[in-house]
Every structure is written in C-alpha cells, then in structure tokens.
C-alpha cells in the first residue's frame, strides 16, 4: 500500500529576509517564492538560475513557472541551487545520522539538518505551517487537495554545517570559549573548514597546500589556508586520536563569512541550473560561465582574466578535478556576482591510484594536449577577445616557470607531487 502524501515544508531565508518555501510532496520538490521577495525589484540574489539582475521579466517568468528546472525537481532530488548546498560522502552520512526519522534521511531532510549553517548566506528552517500562504500550500503540492496533512522535517542539529564536495571535512569556528577550532554554538556560523587527512598520513593535505601556494605565485586569487596539527581541533577528541594528534589538517578560512556576517555565494553548477552530478560537463559550460562573469561580474574583465589564469594553473599543476563546482561566485553587494577566491587546487596526477579515476585520466589527457589555441577558442565562443585569454595564459606560464621550481625545492611536499609538476612545466605544450 502506498503511504499517504504528507508534504514537507522548509522556509528559505536570505540575509534575514524570507525568500520563500522549499516544498516536497511525493518525491517532487519545488521552490515557491514569497510575495515580498517576488515584488522586490532590488531583491538579493539567491541564485542566478532563478533571479537574473536587471532582467525582471525573465526573473518573474522563472519564478512563476512551477515546473521551471531552476525551481522544480522530481525523483526525490532538490532543485539545482538547493542540491548544490548538500555535502557528499562522509559528511553527508554524518548529517543523515543525526535524523531521528527515516524519511528525513533523504536530501530534503539532510538539507534541513544543516540548514542554519549552509554555504553562503541562505538558511533553511522548518516552516511555520500557520504562516503558509495559499500559494505555498497550493503550488507546494502541485495543486494538491487542501485537506492534506502537511509537516516539517526535524530542525537543524547542534553544530551541523553543510560543506559541498566529496573530501571528508568539518566546519569549525576559529575560537569558542577560549578554545581554538571548535564546533560553532547554535545560532552562530562556522568560519573555517578543516579538510581532514587520512589516519597518520597528511600527504594529500600537503599536496593541496603546496598547490594553493604555487597557484598564488602564478597569479591566482586563492583562499587563505594553512596546515595545522589535528591536536589543535577541540570538541573532536575521538577524531583527533583516530587520525593522529600530530597529523596535519588543512585549515581553510571561509570566504563566505565576513565581519558583517555571511556573504552569499553559489558555485557554477548552481548558477547554470545544473545538478552536482553534472559537474564534469565540459567546455560548453565553462564558456557559459565566462559569459556570466563578463556580463554580470562587478569586476568585469578582471574576473574573466582570473578564469583563464586559474585554468592554466590547473593544467600546469596537474589538477584534473577542476570541475564546475570548484568555481564559485560571491554576491558581495547582495545582487551582482564576482568570482570567488580559488579552492580545491590539487595535483591530482600525483595521487595514489590516479589511473583508476577514468574521468580525471581523460581530463588529464586533454590538459596534456592543451595549447594557447584552446584558451583562445573558449574566449572566442564566449564573445571575449582572444588576446585577453592569450595574454593571461602567457603571463601565468611565465610566472609559474619563474617561481615554481625554486618553491618546490624548498616546500615540504611529497616527491611524487614535486616530480609531476616539474615534469609538466618542462614538457606540456602550454608551458613551451
């Protein structure tokens, strides 16, 4: 016998303003905008997939279309922006384990479990069912009957936060009650990401730290990070003991947290109305990202240049995992996007078992064949002057060849990483 339909509701808030509801019924989920958010011509941007600055007609059409792919999803999935807020791997399993009811262990419930500490400035909380509007009731269940029993998922767990990506990580606060790197108390946001090592092995942490520093030397605007011993993490004694107190984690300052509060952000999959599983979509989607940066970014052509610089570094460094979710935009003014600092730059080609990852091997093969013409082609397709792309890449290669060899000799990093990067600098067509 089929279980009775019992729609669930979450309220969606952005910068302290109610933006709408996320509604789930019969494994179909949709975002229903609140009337004040719809009527606000200066509304803060939740996602460029839903609200396009200075394009009010398009924005209204998207939010009014209850089956638009930006606001609606079936088969138990969330709409792309909200799906992009979910973690993967170990962190997702930890969040699901906080749920008391089996039903709340799905994507909708897991999002609610960390809904008070999500990427950017958005927050989702169990809805006040007494304040649901007629539109939220009707469209939330696709015109379902008024007498349906509606409900809300369990509220957020204490100290829970969602961080996108597969790598195991935890969200922490820099300080709490005189202690360093602890779980944030309820009602406060995390401001640091701890990327965890393997038990007794911090080689991948040092790989990423080294690559981030090399990227900065070549002109990439990178997120601030540093390796620190596990024993500096409070509130997690079992985790510290399991991984080793002197084994290092990578402490990454969150660029979506600022002195004035959270800064909203979204990744390229979210803004392009794509699901996380589509993150390896290819050149056509990167072209669209460049077009978005060129048209909407408050930094304009500087962000376009930064895109080409970053991609050239990924090729030179052997980062074949530079997918769409590794490119994000910040809404510093609340409305217009700008490219965020870079993150997750790793010499994937030096990782143990690299040859077992077919997608990364295929991307690595393309990187090894890249020339300046490949970057010029992306610029041309995006309506950007080829000269801008060529100049940015040439400058990046020059800086890498000037600074990386000496830095790699002095840095604490595994021989496999050092050898791989130096070999690429010497042999790749892009570096010649």
């Amino acid at each position: 016998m089929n279980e009775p339909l019992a729609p669930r509701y979450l309220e969606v808030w952005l910068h302290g303003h109610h933006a709408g509801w996320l509604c789930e019924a019969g494994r179909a989920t949709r975002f229903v905008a609140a009337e004040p958010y719809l009527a606000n011509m200066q509304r803060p941007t939740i996602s460029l997939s839903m609200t396009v600055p200075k394009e009010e007609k398009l924005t209204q059409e998207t939010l009014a279309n209850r089956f638009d792919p930006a606001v609606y999803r079936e088969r138990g999935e969330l709409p792309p922006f909200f799906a992009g807020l979910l973690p993967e791997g170990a962190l997702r399993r930890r969040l699901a384990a906080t749920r008391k009811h089996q039903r709340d262990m799905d994507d909708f419930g897991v999002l609610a479990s960390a809904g008070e500490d999500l990427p950017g400035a958005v927050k989702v909380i169990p809805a006040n069912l007494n304040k649901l509007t007629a539109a939220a009731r009707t469209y939330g269940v696709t015109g379902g009957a008024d007498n349906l029993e509606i409900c809300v998922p369990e509220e957020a767990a204490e100290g829970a936060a969602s961080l996108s990506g597969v790598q195991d990580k935890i969200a922490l606060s820099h300080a709490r009650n005189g202690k360093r790197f602890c779980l944030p108390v309820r009602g406060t946001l995390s401001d640091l990401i701890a990327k965890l090592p393997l038990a007794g092995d911090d080689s991948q942490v040092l790989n990423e730290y080294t690559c981030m520093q090399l990227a900065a030397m070549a002109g990439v605007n990178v997120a601030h990070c540093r390796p620190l011993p596990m024993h500096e993490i409070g509130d997690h004694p079992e985790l510290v003991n399991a991984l080793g107190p002197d084994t290092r984690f990578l402490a990454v300052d969150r660029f979506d947290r600022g002195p004035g509060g959270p800064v909203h952000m979204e990744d390229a999959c979210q803004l392009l109305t794509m699901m996380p599983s589509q993150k390896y979509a290819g050149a056509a989607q990167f072209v669209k990202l460049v077009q978005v940066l060129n048209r909407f970014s408050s930094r304009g052509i500087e962000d376009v240049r930064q895109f080409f610089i970053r991609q050239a570094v990924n090729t030179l460094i052997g980062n074949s995992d530079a997918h769409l979710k590794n490119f994000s935009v910040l809404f510093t003014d609340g409305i217009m996007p700008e490219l965020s600092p870079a993150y997750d730059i790793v010499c994937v080609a030096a990782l143990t078992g690299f040859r077992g990852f077919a997608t990364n091997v295929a991307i690595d093969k393309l990187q090894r064949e890249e020339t300046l013409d490949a970057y010029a082609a992306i610029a041309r397709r995006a309506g950007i002057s080829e000269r801008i792309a060529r100049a940015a890449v040439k400058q990046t290669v020059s800086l890498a060849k000037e600074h990386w060899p000496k830095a790699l000799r002095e840095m604490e990093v595994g021989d496999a990483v050092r050898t791989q990067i130096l070999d690429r600098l010497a042999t790749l067509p892009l570096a010649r």
Side-chain angles (χ1 to χ4, degrees):
M1 178 182 293
N2 292 332
E3 292 187 7
L5 187 66
R8 290 177 291 174
Y9 284 83
L10 288 165
E11 291 178 5
V12 179
W13 291 74
L14 182 62
H15 292 299
H17 298 283
H18 183 210
W21 293 269
L22 193 61
C23 322
E24 185 274 336
R27 293 178 59 77
T29 309
R30 61 164 47 82
F31 172 71
V32 178
E35 286 299 325
Y37 186 74
L38 274 173
N40 183 6
M41 299 284 284
Q42 298 298 316
R43 70 181 67 81
T45 303
I46 293 181
S47 170
L48 293 173
S49 67
M50 293 188 279
T51 62
V52 184
K54 301 178 182 179
E55 293 286 348
E56 189 61 22
K57 183 174 183 293
L58 177 60
T59 293
Q60 293 291 338
E61 288 175 352
T62 300
L63 295 177
N65 181 355
R66 307 304 176 182
F67 294 93
D68 189 285
V71 301
Y72 177 77
R73 199 76 183 179
E74 297 178 336
R75 301 193 303 271
E77 296 179 325
L78 303 178
F81 170 75
F82 298 98
L85 299 175
L86 290 170
E88 303 171 69
L91 179 54
R92 191 194 192 285
R93 290 191 293 273
R94 285 200 296 270
L95 290 176
T98 69
R99 305 295 83 190
K100 296 176 183 176
H101 303 290
Q102 181 69 33
R103 187 183 182 191
D104 287 343
M105 292 183 181
D106 64 357
D107 285 356
F108 195 88
V110 168
L111 181 64
S113 74
E116 295 182 13
D117 195 356
L118 296 169
V122 72
K123 181 169 72 171
V124 299
I125 59 176
N128 183 337
L129 299 181
N130 294 323
K131 294 186 177 181
L132 284 182
T133 64
R137 284 178 174 272
T138 301
Y139 296 120
V141 295
T142 324
D146 288 338
N147 62 354
L148 287 173
E149 181 181 349
I150 59 178
C151 60
V152 298
E154 184 183 350
E155 64 183 359
E158 178 74 27
S162 179
L163 304 169
S164 62
V166 176
Q167 183 181 354
D168 197 8
K169 63 194 80 167
I170 54 177
L172 301 171
S173 290
H174 276 84
R176 194 192 81 195
N177 296 333
K179 297 180 180 180
R180 298 188 68 194
F181 309 131
C182 299
L183 285 173
V185 296
R186 187 146 198 178
T188 63
L189 298 174
S190 58
D191 54 15
L192 180 131
I193 296 170
K195 294 191 170 185
L196 301 177
L198 299 175
D201 179 6
D202 51 20
S203 59
Q204 187 165 336
V205 166
L206 295 178
N207 179 336
E208 183 169 351
Y209 176 69
T210 296
C211 290
M212 291 282 280
Q213 303 317 299
L214 294 177
M217 294 176 195
V220 177
N221 174 29
V222 301
H224 182 252
C225 62
R226 63 276 187 203
L228 294 171
M230 284 293 299
H231 65 72
E232 292 203 19
I233 295 181
D235 296 338
H236 289 279
E238 294 178 358
L239 182 63
V240 171
N241 289 333
L243 300 183
D246 295 321
T247 309
R248 286 162 291 187
F249 69 97
L250 190 66
V252 185
D253 291 339
R254 295 190 64 156
F255 49 70
D256 60 337
R257 305 290 185 250
V263 180
H264 194 48
M265 65 171 285
E266 66 174 334
D267 65 43
C269 275
Q270 291 170 299
L271 69 89
L272 294 174
T273 323
M274 299 172 65
M275 298 298 284
S277 60
Q278 298 173 297
K279 62 186 180 182
Y280 293 107
Q285 301 305 322
F286 279 117
V287 168
K288 291 181 180 179
L289 174 59
V290 172
Q291 290 173 326
V292 168
L293 295 175
N294 186 49
R295 180 179 177 188
F296 294 108
S297 173
S298 54
R299 291 198 294 248
I301 205 65
E302 285 305 310
D303 273 356
V304 172
R305 287 187 72 256
Q306 184 66 204
F307 169 84
F308 288 112
I309 291 169
R310 197 174 298 183
Q311 287 291 61
V313 163
N314 286 325
T315 291
L316 296 174
I317 226 161
N319 183 19
S320 56
D321 202 43
H323 48 67
L324 287 168
K325 285 187 71 62
N326 285 346
F327 288 81
S328 290
V329 295
L330 293 171
F331 297 95
T332 304
D333 67 357
I335 298 174
M336 306 302 287
E338 59 187 47
L339 194 63
S340 78
Y343 52 94
D344 291 353
I345 300 179
V346 179
C347 181
V348 176
L351 296 180
T352 304
F354 163 66
R355 292 294 164 190
F357 300 101
T359 298
N360 298 116
V361 170
I363 294 172
D364 183 74
K365 183 176 184 296
L366 292 175
Q367 289 177 330
R368 291 179 179 276
E369 298 169 353
E370 275 184 2
T371 66
L372 269 174
D373 290 340
Y375 293 82
I378 289 177
R380 186 168 58 250
R381 291 171 63 186
I384 306 294
S385 169
E386 293 181 22
R387 289 182 294 179
I388 292 173
R390 290 180 183 274
V393 174
K394 284 182 178 179
Q395 181 185 57
T396 303
V397 171
S398 177
L399 288 170
K401 297 184 81 168
E402 178 182 356
H403 297 293
W404 288 6
K406 180 177 184 294
L408 282 166
R409 286 194 300 270
E410 297 173 350
M411 286 179 166
E412 182 187 2
V413 67
D415 289 339
V417 174
R418 185 180 293 109
T419 300
Q420 181 66 228
I421 296 175
L422 290 175
D423 179 70
R424 296 173 84 89
L425 275 182
T427 62
L428 291 190
L430 190 66
R432 291 173 190 161

